[in-house]
Amino acid sequence: MRKPIHAWAVSVLVAALLAAASPVWAAGTTQPMTQEQIAAARARLEELNKQDYLSELFRTVAKLVKPAVVEVRVSKWIRQPEMPDIEDFMKRFFDEEFPPNESPYQYRFRVVPRRQPRIAPREFQMRGLGSGVVVDAANGYVLTNFHVIAGADQVTVVLADGREFKAEWTRSDPLTDLAIIKIAADGLVAAPLGDSDQVEVGDWVLAIGAPQRLPETVTAGIVSAKGRNTRSGPMYQNFIQTDAAINRGNSGGPLVNMRGEVVGITNSIASVSGGNEGIGFAVPSNMAKSVMAQLIETGKVTRGYLGVYIQDIDSQGLAESLGLPDRHGALVVDVKADSPAGQAGLKTGDVIVRIGDESVPDSQELRYAAARIQPGTVVRVDYYRDKKKHSLDVTIVAQPKELAGSPEGKETEEEPASRPVAGRFGLTVATLTEDLARECGYEPPLEGVLITDVASASDAGEQGLQPGMVILDAQGRPVRTAEEFERAISAEDAAKGIRLRVAEPGGGKRFVFVRPGGEAK
């Protein structure tokens, strides 16, 4: 039987706890400072302020670059379609003829006949705002984003001193989201374009622009990363990432280093809320230099073209199955038959590790490297095939004009019998027939096996395989039927995993390495 707790004991316990806790409370309470302490603190701030070179550095850079930063105002006229005559509409809708001068409502809804006036079409003007930076004062060239001026009927540049100038012409490159605006103005101040290759992660940068119609806004941050690809937006991306605040209206403004040089053109943000969350992106200045020079000289950008669909080596298993020493290189998913790569002899499954004098760490770098090569140039390409390294010469040609998404760019009522193989790789497949291919969004002829189900706990699911995809080959060998696929995954060389090349209804193709069962990647 438990003994009762006396009230005096509880009082003593509470008092002890309060006494023990009181120093903590006292420590968290702001105590008033004496006059001597205030004087000492201010003296210390004076000393520290003498060492504050960063504020002076920011001020100096901002003063130097702000006169070169401009607002880019755009407008576009939108024509509202003409509204149809209501009686004509009702006649078409009810498919009936009515006596002259009488309304269809009189018969359908018993209302007084009333002739509705025809509403004439009208126009209204849409306006937008972005930023830009003067990069050539003598010739009046302003660098900005393509998406800032895209579709505009009129482009107006507002200088830091308040003067406004209409664009004489604009030239743009949607594949990098860059544009040049030409204005005729005296007394311009230009900001120099720096070397973005010299930028390092951790460097201080300033973003200057007109977010939310607030011109000459300066925000500070650091370079958070380089070589970013957001998987959306322009085809050619090699973004500088920064945590300097970038908001709506900043697009096209400069990202500046601490030497007052433009190292990037602010382009976009990654955000859940739609506002700044500390993840902003800028087009590197070296990319802008190349694009700008061609736009000014010829009005267009000419790029080299190799003609291969490529992807990264995205797992160690895939690298090992290809016999590679590491995960560096660009894996060829497909080759355009009439392309330079096809004519030179490159094949699906090859891994390109060097083009010309440039190494290829990933597919993104191959995309940029090929684009930078002058058409007509013969370059040496190093690649792996069947676990051995090879080389061949390729003659680069100009990228086709109609290329919106280049190969180097982004990437039935009666169901057929399916072969359940979920116990091994988590996949259920069916032989792809011509009718089935059309139903799933593929253009015949296409040979392979259709994925009809993917086990939820399988590595196949983890690698992104989904019903509706088509497996074209396994371990580099074509699979035309479900039986051939079953033999391929049962072979000795597939004991630890299997390399698959798959197609998607949207037209993309890629390689994946899938391990059996639910093994980790």
Side-chain angles (χ1 to χ4, degrees), residues 146-147 172-179 233-236 291 295 301 303:
F146 163 69
H147 75 258
S172 56
D173 178 43
L175 299 186
T176 54
D177 198 23
L178 291 169
M235 178 186 297
Y236 293 99
V291 170
L295 288 176
V301 179
R303 294 183 171 88

Side-chain angles (χ1 to χ4, degrees), residues 362-374:
D362 51 37
S363 60
Q364 178 175 275
E365 189 53 44
L366 176 60
R367 189 177 301 119
Y368 302 144
R372 287 193 293 263
I373 298 173
Q374 187 71 20

Side-chain angles (χ1 to χ4, degrees), residues 424-425 475 477 484-498:
R424 178 146 176 76
F425 283 95
Q475 300 291 69
R477 296 183 292 273
E484 287 184 2
F485 179 68
E486 190 168 5
R487 286 196 294 271
I489 65 173
S490 302
E492 185 177 345
D493 62 354
K496 294 184 178 180
I498 190 166

Side-chain angles (χ1 to χ4, degrees), residues 422-426 457-460 462 515-521:
R424 178 146 176 76
F425 283 95
S458 65
D459 188 50
E462 287 289 324
R515 299 183 188 277
E519 294 181 24
K521 292 179 283 185

Side-chain angles (χ1 to χ4, degrees), residues 6-7 49 54 77 104 130 207 262 316 408 431 457 477 479 507:
H6 296 288
N49 195 52
L54 196 58
W77 285 98
V262 178
Q316 187 60 34
E408 285 93 34
T431 300
R477 296 183 292 273
V479 288

Side-chain angles (χ1 to χ4, degrees), residues 211-477:
Q212 308 294 350
R213 297 186 177 274
L214 298 171
E216 298 187 42
T217 296
V218 181
T219 58
I222 64 169
V223 173
S224 305
K226 295 177 62 179
R228 287 296 198 212
N229 188 326
T230 64
R231 308 297 177 187
S232 63
M235 178 186 297
Y236 293 99
Q237 298 184 14
N238 193 22
F239 289 142
I240 297 172
Q241 181 183 329
T242 180
D243 65 350
I246 296 174
N247 290 287
R248 295 183 183 276
N250 266 112
S251 290
L255 188 71
V256 187
N257 64 15
M258 293 299 99
R259 291 184 292 277
E261 300 168 334
V262 178
V263 294
I265 300 299
T266 55
N267 176 270
S268 57
I269 61 174
S271 173
V272 176
S273 65
N276 172 60
E277 294 179 4
I279 307 175
F281 303 100
V283 180
S285 57
N286 287 358
M287 181 182 288
K289 288 178 187 177
S290 173
V291 170
M292 182 178 71
Q294 293 192 62
L295 288 176
I296 292 171
E297 184 176 350
T298 67
K300 62 180 182 179
V301 179
T302 300
R303 294 183 171 88
Y305 175 72
L306 189 58
V308 289
Y309 292 90
I310 51 180
Q311 70 170 72
D312 290 338
I313 314 296
D314 53 13
S315 71
Q316 187 60 34
L318 183 56
E320 292 173 356
S321 73
L322 292 165
L324 303 177
D326 49 42
R327 291 170 58 178
H328 289 83
L331 175 57
V332 177
V333 179
D334 205 357
V335 181
K336 297 282 284 185
D338 57 348
S339 69
Q343 294 173 357
L346 284 171
K347 297 180 179 180
T348 298
D350 290 345
V351 179
I352 299 173
V353 293
R354 177 173 287 274
I355 181 169
D357 296 329
E358 298 188 52
S359 62
V360 178
D362 51 37
S363 60
Q364 178 175 275
E365 189 53 44
L366 176 60
R367 189 177 301 119
Y368 302 144
R372 287 193 293 263
I373 298 173
Q374 187 71 20
T377 304
V378 179
V379 295
R380 175 62 59 90
V381 174
D382 297 340
Y383 63 97
Y384 279 91
R385 178 186 294 171
D386 298 329
K387 304 182 179 182
K388 295 180 181 179
K389 195 172 183 180
H390 306 272
S391 297
L392 51 73
D393 291 332
V394 180
T395 302
I396 300 297
V397 301
Q399 190 179 87
K401 293 181 180 179
E402 69 277 7
L403 203 62
S406 79
E408 285 93 34
K410 311 202 186 167
E411 311 193 6
T412 71
E413 289 183 7
E414 182 179 347
E415 295 186 0
S418 296
R419 305 281 296 193
V421 290
R424 178 146 176 76
F425 283 95
L427 294 169
T428 304
V429 301
T431 300
L432 186 68
T433 64
E434 192 169 301
D435 290 339
L436 191 57
R438 287 195 180 94
E439 288 183 14
C440 294
Y442 298 97
E443 284 295 328
L446 182 68
E447 293 184 333
V449 293
L450 179 71
I451 299 175
T452 59
D453 194 23
V454 181
S456 59
S458 65
D459 188 50
E462 287 289 324
Q463 297 301 323
L465 295 185
Q466 299 177 3
M469 292 182 175
V470 173
I471 299 173
L472 304 173
D473 60 56
Q475 300 291 69
R477 296 183 292 273

